[in-house]
Amino acid sequence: MATSVNLDIAQRLDITCRKGDTFTLTLNITDSAGTAIALTPYTFQMEVRDSATDAVVIPNSDFTFTKDADSTTGKLNIVVAAANMTTSGSYIYDLETTLTTDVQTWLYGVFTINDDVTA
């Protein structure tokens, strides 16, 4: 008989980007068999914070999530405008999805924003 079960499907993906630059991340989302997930019915949320309970550094409202026009490709583009990339440092983030009422965290990790010289 099993003595434990792990329902945490989240994958760790550490991200490094640059202060003052447009943040663009393109993900190809697949299931455990490598088949692209149709993203049309999903909604997404992402936040960057000092820690899980600390102040928000980049709020969900600063992120734009665009699904590929062909919803069967599993392609998700995540963008933050350069004007919202204002703080450098090392933080944490997660990417959460909602399908009807089912909420899952798909990605989490360290979100490092390197300082920039040019304003």
Side-chain angles (χ1 to χ4, degrees), residues 57-107:
V57 176
I58 304 175
N60 183 64
S61 59
D62 286 354
F63 287 91
T64 302
F65 303 95
T66 307
K67 304 163 207 172
D68 201 13
D70 178 1
S71 68
T72 62
T73 65
K75 187 178 286 186
L76 176 67
N77 293 307
I78 304 171
V79 176
V80 177
N84 296 324
M85 297 292 293
T86 59
T87 307
S88 59
S90 185
Y91 309 103
I92 61 170
Y93 82 96
D94 65 8
L95 173 67
E96 201 173 74
T97 66
T98 303
L99 178 62
T100 315
T101 59
D102 186 22
V103 179
Q104 291 182 320
T105 299
W106 282 359
L107 295 175

mmCIF file of all heavy atoms in Angstrom, residues 57-107:
data_model
loop_
_atom_site.group_PDB
_atom_site.id
_atom_site.type_symbol
_atom_site.label_atom_id
_atom_site.label_comp_id
_atom_site.label_asym_id
_atom_site.label_seq_id
_atom_site.Cartn_x
_atom_site.Cartn_y
_atom_site.Cartn_z
ATOM 1 N N VAL A 57 6.336 42.467 -6.284
ATOM 2 C CA VAL A 57 7.289 43.262 -7.060
ATOM 3 C C VAL A 57 6.730 43.517 -8.461
ATOM 4 O O VAL A 57 6.793 44.632 -8.976
ATOM 5 C CB VAL A 57 8.663 42.553 -7.137
ATOM 6 C CG1 VAL A 57 9.622 43.305 -8.023
ATOM 7 C CG2 VAL A 57 9.239 42.379 -5.734
ATOM 8 N N ILE A 58 6.203 42.480 -9.094
ATOM 9 C CA ILE A 58 5.512 42.617 -10.383
ATOM 10 C C ILE A 58 4.145 41.947 -10.215
ATOM 11 O O ILE A 58 4.053 40.728 -10.076
ATOM 12 C CB ILE A 58 6.284 41.957 -11.545
ATOM 13 C CG1 ILE A 58 7.702 42.514 -11.649
ATOM 14 C CG2 ILE A 58 5.536 42.173 -12.860
ATOM 15 C CD1 ILE A 58 8.568 41.825 -12.683
ATOM 16 N N PRO A 59 3.074 42.738 -10.215
ATOM 17 C CA PRO A 59 1.739 42.164 -10.002
ATOM 18 C C PRO A 59 1.212 41.465 -11.255
ATOM 19 O O PRO A 59 1.665 41.736 -12.380
ATOM 20 C CB PRO A 59 0.879 43.390 -9.682
ATOM 21 C CG PRO A 59 1.562 44.519 -10.377
ATOM 22 C CD PRO A 59 3.038 44.192 -10.333
ATOM 23 N N ASN A 60 0.241 40.606 -11.070
ATOM 24 C CA ASN A 60 -0.378 39.890 -12.179
ATOM 25 C C ASN A 60 -0.886 40.861 -13.242
ATOM 26 O O ASN A 60 -0.811 40.573 -14.436
ATOM 27 C CB ASN A 60 -1.523 39.007 -11.664
ATOM 28 C CG ASN A 60 -2.144 38.203 -12.785
ATOM 29 O OD1 ASN A 60 -1.495 37.363 -13.389
ATOM 30 N ND2 ASN A 60 -3.400 38.478 -13.081
ATOM 31 N N SER A 61 -1.366 42.018 -12.834
ATOM 32 C CA SER A 61 -1.919 42.988 -13.790
ATOM 33 C C SER A 61 -0.874 43.523 -14.769
ATOM 34 O O SER A 61 -1.233 44.054 -15.827
ATOM 35 C CB SER A 61 -2.573 44.154 -13.043
ATOM 36 O OG SER A 61 -1.622 44.806 -12.216
ATOM 37 N N ASP A 62 0.427 43.389 -14.461
ATOM 38 C CA ASP A 62 1.493 43.820 -15.373
ATOM 39 C C ASP A 62 1.836 42.764 -16.419
ATOM 40 O O ASP A 62 2.549 43.049 -17.377
ATOM 41 C CB ASP A 62 2.769 44.176 -14.598
ATOM 42 C CG ASP A 62 2.654 45.500 -13.864
ATOM 43 O OD1 ASP A 62 1.637 46.213 -14.044
ATOM 44 O OD2 ASP A 62 3.574 45.831 -13.098
ATOM 45 N N PHE A 63 1.360 41.546 -16.244
ATOM 46 C CA PHE A 63 1.642 40.456 -17.172
ATOM 47 C C PHE A 63 0.555 40.378 -18.243
ATOM 48 O O PHE A 63 -0.625 40.537 -17.954
ATOM 49 C CB PHE A 63 1.707 39.099 -16.450
ATOM 50 C CG PHE A 63 2.935 38.911 -15.627
ATOM 51 C CD1 PHE A 63 2.954 39.270 -14.293
ATOM 52 C CD2 PHE A 63 4.086 38.362 -16.181
ATOM 53 C CE1 PHE A 63 4.099 39.102 -13.519
ATOM 54 C CE2 PHE A 63 5.228 38.188 -15.427
ATOM 55 C CZ PHE A 63 5.231 38.550 -14.085
ATOM 56 N N THR A 64 0.968 40.126 -19.477
ATOM 57 C CA THR A 64 0.041 39.850 -20.569
ATOM 58 C C THR A 64 0.285 38.418 -21.021
ATOM 59 O O THR A 64 1.427 38.034 -21.287
ATOM 60 C CB THR A 64 0.287 40.808 -21.755
ATOM 61 O OG1 THR A 64 0.131 42.145 -21.294
ATOM 62 C CG2 THR A 64 -0.691 40.534 -22.884
ATOM 63 N N PHE A 65 -0.781 37.640 -21.079
ATOM 64 C CA PHE A 65 -0.701 36.241 -21.493
ATOM 65 C C PHE A 65 -1.403 36.101 -22.838
ATOM 66 O O PHE A 65 -2.580 36.428 -22.968
ATOM 67 C CB PHE A 65 -1.375 35.331 -20.463
ATOM 68 C CG PHE A 65 -0.813 35.474 -19.084
ATOM 69 C CD1 PHE A 65 -1.406 36.313 -18.154
ATOM 70 C CD2 PHE A 65 0.332 34.791 -18.719
ATOM 71 C CE1 PHE A 65 -0.880 36.451 -16.880
ATOM 72 C CE2 PHE A 65 0.868 34.927 -17.454
ATOM 73 C CZ PHE A 65 0.258 35.763 -16.534
ATOM 74 N N THR A 66 -0.672 35.609 -23.839
ATOM 75 C CA THR A 66 -1.240 35.431 -25.172
ATOM 76 C C THR A 66 -1.075 33.973 -25.575
ATOM 77 O O THR A 66 0.037 33.448 -25.573
ATOM 78 C CB THR A 66 -0.534 36.344 -26.194
ATOM 79 O OG1 THR A 66 -0.560 37.685 -25.715
ATOM 80 C CG2 THR A 66 -1.216 36.261 -27.542
ATOM 81 N N LYS A 67 -2.195 33.359 -25.920
ATOM 82 C CA LYS A 67 -2.184 31.976 -26.400
ATOM 83 C C LYS A 67 -2.067 32.003 -27.914
ATOM 84 O O LYS A 67 -2.613 32.895 -28.569
ATOM 85 C CB LYS A 67 -3.461 31.257 -25.980
ATOM 86 C CG LYS A 67 -3.708 31.295 -24.485
ATOM 87 C CD LYS A 67 -5.147 30.954 -24.184
ATOM 88 C CE LYS A 67 -5.552 31.599 -22.875
ATOM 89 N NZ LYS A 67 -6.972 31.467 -22.600
ATOM 90 N N ASP A 68 -1.376 31.044 -28.485
ATOM 91 C CA ASP A 68 -1.222 30.956 -29.931
ATOM 92 C C ASP A 68 -2.599 30.869 -30.587
ATOM 93 O O ASP A 68 -3.517 30.266 -30.034
ATOM 94 C CB ASP A 68 -0.378 29.719 -30.278
ATOM 95 C CG ASP A 68 0.259 29.795 -31.646
ATOM 96 O OD1 ASP A 68 0.258 30.884 -32.241
ATOM 97 O OD2 ASP A 68 0.758 28.773 -32.113
ATOM 98 N N ALA A 69 -2.738 31.505 -31.743
ATOM 99 C CA ALA A 69 -4.018 31.493 -32.461
ATOM 100 C C ALA A 69 -4.500 30.070 -32.722
ATOM 101 O O ALA A 69 -5.691 29.792 -32.668
ATOM 102 C CB ALA A 69 -3.888 32.257 -33.771
ATOM 103 N N ASP A 70 -3.570 29.163 -32.987
ATOM 104 C CA ASP A 70 -3.908 27.746 -33.139
ATOM 105 C C ASP A 70 -3.796 27.145 -31.743
ATOM 106 O O ASP A 70 -2.712 26.799 -31.290
ATOM 107 C CB ASP A 70 -2.951 27.061 -34.104
ATOM 108 C CG ASP A 70 -3.244 25.571 -34.241
ATOM 109 O OD1 ASP A 70 -4.197 25.083 -33.608
ATOM 110 O OD2 ASP A 70 -2.511 24.907 -34.986
ATOM 111 N N SER A 71 -4.902 27.043 -31.058
ATOM 112 C CA SER A 71 -4.898 26.664 -29.644
ATOM 113 C C SER A 71 -4.322 25.279 -29.369
ATOM 114 O O SER A 71 -4.066 24.927 -28.236
ATOM 115 C CB SER A 71 -6.311 26.732 -29.075
ATOM 116 O OG SER A 71 -7.108 25.716 -29.653
ATOM 117 N N THR A 72 -4.095 24.483 -30.398
ATOM 118 C CA THR A 72 -3.596 23.122 -30.181
ATOM 119 C C THR A 72 -2.071 23.061 -30.067
ATOM 120 O O THR A 72 -1.520 22.000 -29.818
ATOM 121 C CB THR A 72 -4.046 22.184 -31.324
ATOM 122 O OG1 THR A 72 -3.486 22.675 -32.548
ATOM 123 C CG2 THR A 72 -5.553 22.130 -31.413
ATOM 124 N N THR A 73 -1.363 24.190 -30.243
ATOM 125 C CA THR A 73 0.101 24.173 -30.219
ATOM 126 C C THR A 73 0.677 24.205 -28.812
ATOM 127 O O THR A 73 1.850 23.917 -28.618
ATOM 128 C CB THR A 73 0.690 25.360 -30.991
ATOM 129 O OG1 THR A 73 0.328 26.572 -30.319
ATOM 130 C CG2 THR A 73 0.208 25.385 -32.427
ATOM 131 N N GLY A 74 -0.110 24.620 -27.830
ATOM 132 C CA GLY A 74 0.392 24.729 -26.468
ATOM 133 C C GLY A 74 1.325 25.899 -26.259
ATOM 134 O O GLY A 74 2.006 25.976 -25.247
ATOM 135 N N LYS A 75 1.349 26.837 -27.197
ATOM 136 C CA LYS A 75 2.273 27.977 -27.096
ATOM 137 C C LYS A 75 1.640 29.112 -26.294
ATOM 138 O O LYS A 75 0.549 29.572 -26.600
ATOM 139 C CB LYS A 75 2.670 28.476 -28.472
ATOM 140 C CG LYS A 75 3.765 29.550 -28.410
ATOM 141 C CD LYS A 75 4.191 30.019 -29.783
ATOM 142 C CE LYS A 75 5.036 28.947 -30.418
ATOM 143 N NZ LYS A 75 5.616 29.364 -31.702
ATOM 144 N N LEU A 76 2.363 29.557 -25.265
ATOM 145 C CA LEU A 76 1.931 30.653 -24.403
ATOM 146 C C LEU A 76 3.028 31.709 -24.364
ATOM 147 O O LEU A 76 4.179 31.398 -24.059
ATOM 148 C CB LEU A 76 1.660 30.141 -22.981
ATOM 149 C CG LEU A 76 1.299 31.194 -21.945
ATOM 150 C CD1 LEU A 76 -0.057 31.829 -22.254
ATOM 151 C CD2 LEU A 76 1.279 30.556 -20.551
ATOM 152 N N ASN A 77 2.668 32.951 -24.692
ATOM 153 C CA ASN A 77 3.600 34.074 -24.607
ATOM 154 C C ASN A 77 3.248 34.899 -23.374
ATOM 155 O O ASN A 77 2.079 35.260 -23.180
ATOM 156 C CB ASN A 77 3.510 34.956 -25.856
ATOM 157 C CG ASN A 77 3.991 34.231 -27.080
ATOM 158 O OD1 ASN A 77 5.092 33.702 -27.099
ATOM 159 N ND2 ASN A 77 3.167 34.186 -28.105
ATOM 160 N N ILE A 78 4.281 35.195 -22.578
ATOM 161 C CA ILE A 78 4.107 35.996 -21.368
ATOM 162 C C ILE A 78 4.965 37.241 -21.532
ATOM 163 O O ILE A 78 6.160 37.145 -21.803
ATOM 164 C CB ILE A 78 4.541 35.198 -20.122
ATOM 165 C CG1 ILE A 78 3.778 33.871 -20.031
ATOM 166 C CG2 ILE A 78 4.350 36.045 -18.865
ATOM 167 C CD1 ILE A 78 4.295 32.928 -18.973
ATOM 168 N N VAL A 79 4.356 38.418 -21.365
ATOM 169 C CA VAL A 79 5.058 39.673 -21.590
ATOM 170 C C VAL A 79 4.800 40.637 -20.433
ATOM 171 O O VAL A 79 3.690 40.706 -19.905
ATOM 172 C CB VAL A 79 4.594 40.334 -22.918
ATOM 173 C CG1 VAL A 79 5.246 41.694 -23.126
ATOM 174 C CG2 VAL A 79 4.874 39.417 -24.098
ATOM 175 N N VAL A 80 5.863 41.380 -20.058
ATOM 176 C CA VAL A 80 5.752 42.522 -19.151
ATOM 177 C C VAL A 80 6.421 43.686 -19.865
ATOM 178 O O VAL A 80 7.562 43.568 -20.333
ATOM 179 C CB VAL A 80 6.444 42.272 -17.794
ATOM 180 C CG1 VAL A 80 6.358 43.511 -16.908
ATOM 181 C CG2 VAL A 80 5.843 41.062 -17.086
ATOM 182 N N ALA A 81 5.731 44.809 -19.955
ATOM 183 C CA ALA A 81 6.283 45.987 -20.626
ATOM 184 C C ALA A 81 7.530 46.477 -19.895
ATOM 185 O O ALA A 81 7.633 46.369 -18.665
ATOM 186 C CB ALA A 81 5.239 47.099 -20.671
ATOM 187 N N ALA A 82 8.466 47.041 -20.661
ATOM 188 C CA ALA A 82 9.711 47.561 -20.086
ATOM 189 C C ALA A 82 9.441 48.567 -18.972
ATOM 190 O O ALA A 82 10.160 48.600 -17.964
ATOM 191 C CB ALA A 82 10.559 48.195 -21.184
ATOM 192 N N ALA A 83 8.397 49.370 -19.106
ATOM 193 C CA ALA A 83 8.056 50.387 -18.105
ATOM 194 C C ALA A 83 7.698 49.777 -16.752
ATOM 195 O O ALA A 83 7.774 50.451 -15.716
ATOM 196 C CB ALA A 83 6.898 51.249 -18.608
ATOM 197 N N ASN A 84 7.340 48.496 -16.728
ATOM 198 C CA ASN A 84 6.975 47.814 -15.476
ATOM 199 C C ASN A 84 8.111 46.967 -14.907
ATOM 200 O O ASN A 84 7.953 46.347 -13.862
ATOM 201 C CB ASN A 84 5.734 46.950 -15.691
ATOM 202 C CG ASN A 84 4.531 47.790 -16.033
ATOM 203 O OD1 ASN A 84 4.366 48.891 -15.527
ATOM 204 N ND2 ASN A 84 3.694 47.289 -16.914
ATOM 205 N N MET A 85 9.233 46.936 -15.589
ATOM 206 C CA MET A 85 10.407 46.188 -15.127
ATOM 207 C C MET A 85 11.349 47.173 -14.424
ATOM 208 O O MET A 85 12.394 47.544 -14.933
ATOM 209 C CB MET A 85 11.099 45.495 -16.303
ATOM 210 C CG MET A 85 10.260 44.461 -17.013
ATOM 211 S SD MET A 85 9.937 43.008 -16.007
ATOM 212 C CE MET A 85 11.567 42.317 -15.880
ATOM 213 N N THR A 86 10.957 47.616 -13.238
ATOM 214 C CA THR A 86 11.614 48.757 -12.596
ATOM 215 C C THR A 86 12.501 48.418 -11.414
ATOM 216 O O THR A 86 13.205 49.295 -10.918
ATOM 217 C CB THR A 86 10.553 49.770 -12.118
ATOM 218 O OG1 THR A 86 9.670 49.112 -11.193
ATOM 219 C CG2 THR A 86 9.746 50.309 -13.298
ATOM 220 N N THR A 87 12.494 47.199 -10.950
ATOM 221 C CA THR A 87 13.235 46.839 -9.740
ATOM 222 C C THR A 87 14.178 45.682 -10.023
ATOM 223 O O THR A 87 13.767 44.672 -10.577
ATOM 224 C CB THR A 87 12.260 46.428 -8.615
ATOM 225 O OG1 THR A 87 11.296 47.465 -8.439
ATOM 226 C CG2 THR A 87 12.981 46.186 -7.323
ATOM 227 N N SER A 88 15.439 45.830 -9.637
ATOM 228 C CA SER A 88 16.378 44.710 -9.794
ATOM 229 C C SER A 88 16.484 43.955 -8.472
ATOM 230 O O SER A 88 16.212 44.501 -7.405
ATOM 231 C CB SER A 88 17.750 45.211 -10.243
ATOM 232 O OG SER A 88 18.271 46.119 -9.310
ATOM 233 N N GLY A 89 16.850 42.683 -8.565
ATOM 234 C CA GLY A 89 17.006 41.858 -7.373
ATOM 235 C C GLY A 89 16.642 40.415 -7.659
ATOM 236 O O GLY A 89 16.359 40.037 -8.793
ATOM 237 N N SER A 90 16.643 39.614 -6.605
ATOM 238 C CA SER A 90 16.308 38.202 -6.715
ATOM 239 C C SER A 90 15.004 37.951 -5.958
ATOM 240 O O SER A 90 14.900 38.258 -4.765
ATOM 241 C CB SER A 90 17.438 37.338 -6.137
ATOM 242 O OG SER A 90 17.156 35.982 -6.338
ATOM 243 N N TYR A 91 14.029 37.390 -6.651
ATOM 244 C CA TYR A 91 12.684 37.216 -6.117
ATOM 245 C C TYR A 91 12.200 35.789 -6.393
ATOM 246 O O TYR A 91 12.951 34.970 -6.901
ATOM 247 C CB TYR A 91 11.737 38.232 -6.774
ATOM 248 C CG TYR A 91 12.257 39.641 -6.717
ATOM 249 C CD1 TYR A 91 12.833 40.249 -7.835
ATOM 250 C CD2 TYR A 91 12.217 40.368 -5.536
ATOM 251 C CE1 TYR A 91 13.326 41.542 -7.783
ATOM 252 C CE2 TYR A 91 12.718 41.669 -5.468
ATOM 253 C CZ TYR A 91 13.268 42.241 -6.600
ATOM 254 O OH TYR A 91 13.771 43.521 -6.532
ATOM 255 N N ILE A 92 10.935 35.535 -6.094
ATOM 256 C CA ILE A 92 10.311 34.263 -6.433
ATOM 257 C C ILE A 92 9.034 34.546 -7.229
ATOM 258 O O ILE A 92 8.499 35.654 -7.185
ATOM 259 C CB ILE A 92 9.995 33.398 -5.200
ATOM 260 C CG1 ILE A 92 9.022 34.102 -4.257
ATOM 261 C CG2 ILE A 92 11.274 33.004 -4.478
ATOM 262 C CD1 ILE A 92 8.481 33.216 -3.154
ATOM 263 N N TYR A 93 8.584 33.550 -7.969
ATOM 264 C CA TYR A 93 7.360 33.688 -8.759
ATOM 265 C C TYR A 93 6.680 32.328 -8.862
ATOM 266 O O TYR A 93 7.263 31.291 -8.544
ATOM 267 C CB TYR A 93 7.678 34.200 -10.178
ATOM 268 C CG TYR A 93 8.114 33.081 -11.100
ATOM 269 C CD1 TYR A 93 7.208 32.460 -11.951
ATOM 270 C CD2 TYR A 93 9.418 32.586 -11.069
ATOM 271 C CE1 TYR A 93 7.602 31.400 -12.764
ATOM 272 C CE2 TYR A 93 9.814 31.545 -11.876
ATOM 273 C CZ TYR A 93 8.907 30.960 -12.717
ATOM 274 O OH TYR A 93 9.284 29.909 -13.507
ATOM 275 N N ASP A 94 5.435 32.368 -9.324
ATOM 276 C CA ASP A 94 4.800 31.152 -9.808
ATOM 277 C C ASP A 94 3.815 31.511 -10.905
ATOM 278 O O ASP A 94 3.390 32.662 -11.032
ATOM 279 C CB ASP A 94 4.159 30.311 -8.698
ATOM 280 C CG ASP A 94 2.990 30.955 -7.986
ATOM 281 O OD1 ASP A 94 2.523 32.031 -8.425
ATOM 282 O OD2 ASP A 94 2.523 30.389 -6.996
ATOM 283 N N LEU A 95 3.528 30.531 -11.746
ATOM 284 C CA LEU A 95 2.560 30.658 -12.826
ATOM 285 C C LEU A 95 1.431 29.696 -12.506
ATOM 286 O O LEU A 95 1.637 28.482 -12.420
ATOM 287 C CB LEU A 95 3.191 30.301 -14.182
ATOM 288 C CG LEU A 95 2.221 30.247 -15.373
ATOM 289 C CD1 LEU A 95 1.682 31.632 -15.699
ATOM 290 C CD2 LEU A 95 2.916 29.644 -16.587
ATOM 291 N N GLU A 96 0.252 30.259 -12.316
ATOM 292 C CA GLU A 96 -0.910 29.487 -11.913
ATOM 293 C C GLU A 96 -1.922 29.465 -13.056
ATOM 294 O O GLU A 96 -2.097 30.474 -13.750
ATOM 295 C CB GLU A 96 -1.523 30.166 -10.688
ATOM 296 C CG GLU A 96 -2.389 29.309 -9.835
ATOM 297 C CD GLU A 96 -2.791 30.060 -8.582
ATOM 298 O OE1 GLU A 96 -3.637 30.954 -8.673
ATOM 299 O OE2 GLU A 96 -2.240 29.746 -7.515
ATOM 300 N N THR A 97 -2.579 28.344 -13.249
ATOM 301 C CA THR A 97 -3.594 28.206 -14.291
ATOM 302 C C THR A 97 -4.935 27.877 -13.650
ATOM 303 O O THR A 97 -5.003 27.288 -12.570
ATOM 304 C CB THR A 97 -3.249 27.065 -15.271
ATOM 305 O OG1 THR A 97 -3.313 25.826 -14.571
ATOM 306 C CG2 THR A 97 -1.903 27.258 -15.877
ATOM 307 N N THR A 98 -5.985 28.277 -14.351
ATOM 308 C CA THR A 98 -7.337 27.921 -13.919
ATOM 309 C C THR A 98 -8.079 27.366 -15.119
ATOM 310 O O THR A 98 -8.068 27.962 -16.199
ATOM 311 C CB THR A 98 -8.091 29.139 -13.355
ATOM 312 O OG1 THR A 98 -7.340 29.686 -12.276
ATOM 313 C CG2 THR A 98 -9.481 28.738 -12.857
ATOM 314 N N LEU A 99 -8.693 26.225 -14.926
ATOM 315 C CA LEU A 99 -9.546 25.582 -15.925
ATOM 316 C C LEU A 99 -10.865 25.307 -15.225
ATOM 317 O O LEU A 99 -10.919 24.454 -14.322
ATOM 318 C CB LEU A 99 -8.917 24.288 -16.448
ATOM 319 C CG LEU A 99 -9.740 23.495 -17.460
ATOM 320 C CD1 LEU A 99 -9.985 24.312 -18.716
ATOM 321 C CD2 LEU A 99 -9.047 22.183 -17.793
ATOM 322 N N THR A 100 -11.888 26.060 -15.581
ATOM 323 C CA THR A 100 -13.175 26.044 -14.891
ATOM 324 C C THR A 100 -12.932 26.415 -13.431
ATOM 325 O O THR A 100 -12.636 27.560 -13.152
ATOM 326 C CB THR A 100 -13.875 24.674 -15.045
ATOM 327 O OG1 THR A 100 -13.779 24.253 -16.415
ATOM 328 C CG2 THR A 100 -15.329 24.752 -14.673
ATOM 329 N N THR A 101 -12.989 25.460 -12.504
ATOM 330 C CA THR A 101 -12.706 25.757 -11.097
ATOM 331 C C THR A 101 -11.429 25.060 -10.615
ATOM 332 O O THR A 101 -11.083 25.153 -9.441
ATOM 333 C CB THR A 101 -13.885 25.333 -10.193
ATOM 334 O OG1 THR A 101 -14.104 23.923 -10.362
ATOM 335 C CG2 THR A 101 -15.147 26.101 -10.537
ATOM 336 N N ASP A 102 -10.752 24.360 -11.511
ATOM 337 C CA ASP A 102 -9.532 23.627 -11.166
ATOM 338 C C ASP A 102 -8.324 24.561 -11.271
ATOM 339 O O ASP A 102 -7.995 25.033 -12.362
ATOM 340 C CB ASP A 102 -9.377 22.437 -12.110
ATOM 341 C CG ASP A 102 -8.223 21.535 -11.746
ATOM 342 O OD1 ASP A 102 -7.789 21.557 -10.580
ATOM 343 O OD2 ASP A 102 -7.738 20.803 -12.634
ATOM 344 N N VAL A 103 -7.663 24.823 -10.158
ATOM 345 C CA VAL A 103 -6.501 25.707 -10.113
ATOM 346 C C VAL A 103 -5.247 24.861 -9.894
ATOM 347 O O VAL A 103 -5.226 23.997 -9.017
ATOM 348 C CB VAL A 103 -6.635 26.746 -8.976
ATOM 349 C CG1 VAL A 103 -5.405 27.639 -8.912
ATOM 350 C CG2 VAL A 103 -7.897 27.580 -9.158
ATOM 351 N N GLN A 104 -4.210 25.101 -10.728
ATOM 352 C CA GLN A 104 -2.943 24.396 -10.591
ATOM 353 C C GLN A 104 -1.788 25.362 -10.801
ATOM 354 O O GLN A 104 -1.886 26.282 -11.615
ATOM 355 C CB GLN A 104 -2.808 23.278 -11.636
ATOM 356 C CG GLN A 104 -3.725 22.112 -11.444
ATOM 357 C CD GLN A 104 -3.479 21.045 -12.497
ATOM 358 O OE1 GLN A 104 -3.246 21.343 -13.663
ATOM 359 N NE2 GLN A 104 -3.525 19.796 -12.083
ATOM 360 N N THR A 105 -0.710 25.124 -10.075
ATOM 361 C CA THR A 105 0.524 25.854 -10.319
ATOM 362 C C THR A 105 1.356 25.006 -11.265
ATOM 363 O O THR A 105 1.679 23.871 -10.959
ATOM 364 C CB THR A 105 1.287 26.106 -8.998
ATOM 365 O OG1 THR A 105 0.455 26.888 -8.147
ATOM 366 C CG2 THR A 105 2.587 26.847 -9.253
ATOM 367 N N TRP A 106 1.696 25.590 -12.427
ATOM 368 C CA TRP A 106 2.466 24.857 -13.430
ATOM 369 C C TRP A 106 3.957 25.137 -13.307
ATOM 370 O O TRP A 106 4.765 24.263 -13.558
ATOM 371 C CB TRP A 106 1.989 25.207 -14.830
ATOM 372 C CG TRP A 106 0.708 24.526 -15.249
ATOM 373 C CD1 TRP A 106 -0.026 23.636 -14.508
ATOM 374 C CD2 TRP A 106 0.029 24.665 -16.482
ATOM 375 N NE1 TRP A 106 -1.119 23.226 -15.215
ATOM 376 C CE2 TRP A 106 -1.118 23.846 -16.434
ATOM 377 C CE3 TRP A 106 0.271 25.425 -17.617
ATOM 378 C CZ2 TRP A 106 -2.014 23.752 -17.497
ATOM 379 C CZ3 TRP A 106 -0.634 25.326 -18.682
ATOM 380 C CH2 TRP A 106 -1.753 24.488 -18.610
ATOM 381 N N LEU A 107 4.329 26.364 -12.972
ATOM 382 C CA LEU A 107 5.739 26.731 -12.872
ATOM 383 C C LEU A 107 5.982 27.546 -11.614
ATOM 384 O O LEU A 107 5.098 28.252 -11.144
ATOM 385 C CB LEU A 107 6.186 27.579 -14.080
ATOM 386 C CG LEU A 107 6.190 26.940 -15.444
ATOM 387 C CD1 LEU A 107 6.539 27.987 -16.502
ATOM 388 C CD2 LEU A 107 7.172 25.786 -15.499
#
